[in-house]
């Protein structure tokens, strides 16, 4: 065997094996560097791994961490946020707290409701008002679900004695003090208000009908048919991943939908692939055979009257919180550009395989969103196209992002747009995925009668 061939083989294996764990994180470059640098465990792993090619800097942070200095935060360094020059600096600080990484400071998990030194026992920790919680070795009993006769957005699914763990330390008063905000898409208070410690509980087949071994995200969801409302779900899930410092894709996702017909996530469901390599499933699935899920199950056929146990579970920020993120966001006037939402856009496009585009200097690409719905059509679209047709070096395309256009194709079109024009409405949520240099024109109906 020639030395040149041996060198080629060694180089091949080096390239193939180079930082497999870093590749598995599957993050866009800037987000990857900040995630590894700001996470001590990952930073130490990278520094000890000669194949990890990340430019480590222990001072890098996103901005919400306790030890983060503002000058080292991603938002400060990227200078993506801009504010009017005549504004008081405190206005910029307020904007950062309301619509950027600073928002996450108010949603950090800091209340230890259930804790145990023994890893085989339970834990449950939450943010203020139970807007976001993480737990281990706990279970929900769905005896009260009765999916066949259920309705959507129920707040009474979990009753006393139907959510428990085995806690060495359980703070009932702390739990009670954080039950003051209730609502299906506002907090997890309805599902956790009856949580208690059961010293007899164990994560075994005697106490669990289903045991989820993988980290699991339980999602209560906004409307699946509306792009804006559904992306309230995805934005808040993304924010929750930051809080927990994990972007693991080998997780399970349960869509906590109490309607017998299920969630029916046909329009934008492809977006779940950005969060997990595994298909999400729903509460109604507990009425079917779960043998294909390859979990520990005591019976092949399950009803909805079963105890579902989680080794590790996250209940993320929800779509319609008070003073929420992306919905009910009370943003101050005078600032624009959220680094949190920019990295969300990069994260979604990267994980869905849509490559970032470069600006075409020779022409301007205009996309007009004229939807076929009754209230979002542009009635004078012909006049608009005629006016734009006189402009040099301009290409104009009219799109109708409806159910016949796969969402990935929609995102691909939007990400290659320089000027986006559309009627006021949920369709303009696409502006999240425009390039940084793009402009958007929002058309507002003046209430003229439609023909």
């Amino acid at each position: 065997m020639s030395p040149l061939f041996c060198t080629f083989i060694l180089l091949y294996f080096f390239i193939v094996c180079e930082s497999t764990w870093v590749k598995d994180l599957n993050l866009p470059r800037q987000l990857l560097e900040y995630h590894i640098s700001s996470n001590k465990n990952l930073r130490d792993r990278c520094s000890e791994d000669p194949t990890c090619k990340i430019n480590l800097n222990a001072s890098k942070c996103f901005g919400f961490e306790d030890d983060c200095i503002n000058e080292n935060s991603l938002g400060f360094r990227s200078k993506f946020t801009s504010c009017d020059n005549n504004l008081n600096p405190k206005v910029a600080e307020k904007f950062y707290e309301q619509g950027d990484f600073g928002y996450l400071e108010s949603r950090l998990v800091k209340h230890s409701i259930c804790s145990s030194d023994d890893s085989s026992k339970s834990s449950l920790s939450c943010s203020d008002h139970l807007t976001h919680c993480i737990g281990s070795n706990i279970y929900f009993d769905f005896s009260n679900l009765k999916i066949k006769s259920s309705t959507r957005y129920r707040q009474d699914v979990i009753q006393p004695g139907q959510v428990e763990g085995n806690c060495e330390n359980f703070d009932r008063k702390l739990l009670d003090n954080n039950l003051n905000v209730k609502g299906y898409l506002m907090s997890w208070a309805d599902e956790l208000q009856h949580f208690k410690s059961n010293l007899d509980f164990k994560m075994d087949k005697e106490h669990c009908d289903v045991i989820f071994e993988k980290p699991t995200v339980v999602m209560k969801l906004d409307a699946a048919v509306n792009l804006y409302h559904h992306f309230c779900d995805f934005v808040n899930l993304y924010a929750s991943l930051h809080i927990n410092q994990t972007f693991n894709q080998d997780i399970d996702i349960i869509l906590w939908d109490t309607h017998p017909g299920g969630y029916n996530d046909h329009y934008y469901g492809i977006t779940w692939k950005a969060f997990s390599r595994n298909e999400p499933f729903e509460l109604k699935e507990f009425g079917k055979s779960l043998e294909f899920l390859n979990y520990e199950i005591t019976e092949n056929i399950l009803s909805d009257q079963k105890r579902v146990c989680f080794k590790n579970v996250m209940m993320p920020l929800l779509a319609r919180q008070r003073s929420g993120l992306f919905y009910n966001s009370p943003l101050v006037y005078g600032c624009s550009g959220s680094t949190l939402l920019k990295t969300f856009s990069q994260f979604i496009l990267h994980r869905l395989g849509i490559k970032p585009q470069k600006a075409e200097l020779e022409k301007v690409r205009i996309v007009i969103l004229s939807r076929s719905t009754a209230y979002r059509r542009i009635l004078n679209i012909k006049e608009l196209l005629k006016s734009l047709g006189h402009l040099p070096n301009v290409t104009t395309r009219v799109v109708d992002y409806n159910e016949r256009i796969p969402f990935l194709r929609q995102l691909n079109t939007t990400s290659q747009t320089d000027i986006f024009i559309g009627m006021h409405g949920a369709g303009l949520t696409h502006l999240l995925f425009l390039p940084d240099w793009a402009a958007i024109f929002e058309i507002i109906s003046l209430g003229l009668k439609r023909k």
Side-chain angles (χ1 to χ4, degrees):
M1 188 178 294
S2 68
L4 181 61
F5 182 75
C6 291
T7 301
F8 173 78
I9 293 295
L10 289 173
L11 180 62
Y12 171 78
F13 278 105
F14 177 78
I15 293 174
V16 170
C17 299
E18 181 181 6
S19 300
T20 301
W21 66 273
V22 175
K23 293 179 181 178
D24 287 344
L25 289 173
N26 193 17
L27 296 172
R29 190 67 188 183
Q30 185 184 54
L31 183 56
L32 179 68
E33 290 190 354
Y34 271 81
H35 176 54
I36 293 179
S37 293
S38 64
N39 185 312
K40 186 179 184 307
N41 292 333
L42 295 180
R43 187 171 67 244
D44 292 345
R45 183 177 182 181
C46 183
S47 63
E48 297 168 0
D49 181 356
T51 66
C52 180
K53 304 302 181 183
I54 298 298
N55 181 23
L56 291 175
N57 184 341
S59 65
K60 284 183 177 179
C61 51
F62 289 102
F64 65 91
E65 303 91 338
D66 290 335
D67 57 350
C68 181
I69 299 174
N70 183 50
E71 288 74 14
N72 296 327
S73 67
L74 176 59
F76 184 87
R77 291 189 174 191
S78 67
K79 300 187 183 302
F80 185 66
T81 302
S82 62
C83 298
D84 296 344
N85 293 329
N86 59 343
L87 289 178
N88 188 310
K90 290 186 177 181
V91 175
E93 294 177 9
K94 192 67 175 177
F95 178 84
Y96 180 72
E97 293 172 1
Q98 292 175 331
D100 213 320
F101 277 108
Y103 172 86
L104 303 187
E105 293 182 38
S106 65
R107 298 306 193 263
L108 293 177
V109 172
K110 55 188 177 183
H111 298 304
S112 181
I113 295 168
C114 164
S115 62
S116 304
D117 292 329
D118 186 344
S119 60
S120 67
K121 294 188 177 181
S122 306
S123 68
L124 178 65
S125 299
C126 298
S127 62
D128 289 341
H129 314 302
L130 309 189
T131 55
H132 170 56
C133 298
I134 55 174
S136 64
N137 300 328
I138 65 174
Y139 83 88
F140 290 98
D141 184 334
F142 291 101
S143 297
N144 191 49
L145 176 58
K146 300 178 178 61
I147 192 67
K148 291 183 179 180
S149 59
S150 185
T151 56
R152 182 155 281 144
Y153 302 137
R154 281 178 55 193
Q155 297 175 233
D156 64 343
V157 173
I158 303 302
Q159 294 295 308
Q162 295 181 342
V163 54
E164 296 181 343
N166 186 342
C167 314
E168 292 180 355
N169 303 290
F170 176 52
D171 195 332
R172 177 75 238 182
K173 183 177 180 181
L174 183 60
L175 176 60
D176 289 341
N177 288 342
N178 282 278
L179 294 176
N180 55 327
V181 175
K182 291 185 178 181
Y184 185 81
L185 292 175
M186 296 175 65
S187 79
W188 292 95
D190 291 308
E191 291 73 29
L192 294 174
Q193 61 182 325
H194 302 301
F195 182 87
K196 69 176 184 178
S197 179
N198 180 351
L199 299 182
D200 294 325
F201 170 69
K202 295 180 181 179
M203 292 285 289
D204 58 24
K205 292 183 178 181
E206 179 183 348
H207 298 87
C208 306
D209 297 304
V210 181
I211 299 178
F212 280 87
E213 301 284 346
K214 293 179 181 179
T216 305
V217 174
V218 178
M219 292 283 299
K220 293 192 293 185
L221 297 149
D222 210 328
V225 298
N226 184 286
L227 178 63
Y228 170 70
H229 286 292
H230 202 359
F231 265 76
C232 293
D233 300 318
F234 294 129
V235 166
N236 280 281
L237 176 55
Y238 173 75
S240 302
L241 297 182
H242 273 287
I243 293 174
N244 290 280
Q245 292 191 310
T246 178
F247 290 93
N248 177 18
Q249 280 187 282
D250 189 19
I251 65 173
D252 288 310
I253 296 175
I254 296 178
L255 308 184
W256 187 297
D257 187 275
T258 57
H259 191 275
Y263 191 60
N264 296 322
D265 202 358
H266 304 308
Y267 298 137
Y268 312 111
I270 190 70
T271 310
W272 292 114
K273 292 185 180 297
F275 297 93
S276 175
R277 292 193 292 267
N278 308 310
E279 287 293 322
F281 63 97
E282 308 181 39
L283 294 189
K284 71 172 186 175
E285 296 293 334
F286 295 121
K288 300 178 181 179
S289 171
L290 291 184
E291 192 172 19
F292 68 93
L293 290 174
N294 196 29
Y295 296 120
E296 287 192 33
I297 301 174
T298 58
E299 304 173 22
N300 286 336
I301 304 298
L302 297 175
S303 71
D304 56 9
Q305 300 179 7
K306 295 297 176 182
R307 296 163 298 177
V308 181
C309 300
F310 301 95
K311 287 288 183 70
N312 290 282
V313 64
M314 177 174 74
M315 290 160 269
L317 298 171
L318 296 168
R320 301 197 186 194
Q321 306 163 70
R322 291 181 181 174
S323 300
L325 180 65
F326 200 59
Y327 184 97
N328 285 339
S329 298
L331 297 178
V332 294
Y333 181 78
C335 295
S336 63
S338 166
T339 307
L340 173 60
L341 292 182
K342 177 181 178 177
T343 58
F344 167 76
S345 171
Q346 294 169 336
F347 169 82
I348 294 294
L349 294 178
H350 175 86
R351 285 208 167 166
L352 294 183
I354 299 175
K355 296 181 179 180
Q357 302 293 319
K358 294 182 179 180
E360 292 191 18
L361 302 180
E362 301 300 323
K363 64 180 180 180
V364 176
R365 300 161 296 183
I366 299 177
V367 169
I368 303 174
L369 177 62
S370 181
R371 300 175 63 194
S372 54
T373 58
Y375 299 100
R376 297 293 183 258
R377 288 181 296 129
I378 301 176
L379 300 181
N380 61 334
I381 186 67
K382 291 182 179 180
E383 291 88 341
L384 181 58
L385 288 173
K386 184 177 180 180
S387 298
L388 294 173
H390 298 298
L391 300 176
N393 302 320
V394 168
T395 62
T396 303
R397 179 179 178 185
V398 179
V399 298
D400 179 7
Y401 286 159
N402 55 45
E403 67 276 5
R404 296 185 297 275
I405 310 299
F407 188 53
L408 283 184
R409 193 191 304 174
Q410 296 180 27
L411 291 180
N412 194 60
T413 299
T414 301
S415 66
Q416 300 181 56
T417 299
D418 301 310
I419 298 176
F420 194 86
I421 302 173
M423 289 285 292
H424 169 83
L428 293 189
T429 306
H430 272 275
L431 66 86
L432 281 171
F433 304 104
L434 290 170
D436 289 346
W437 62 83
I440 184 164
F441 287 84
E442 180 181 20
I443 300 175
I444 304 293
S445 171
L446 297 179
L448 298 176
K449 292 183 179 180
R450 290 181 290 276
K451 294 181 181 180

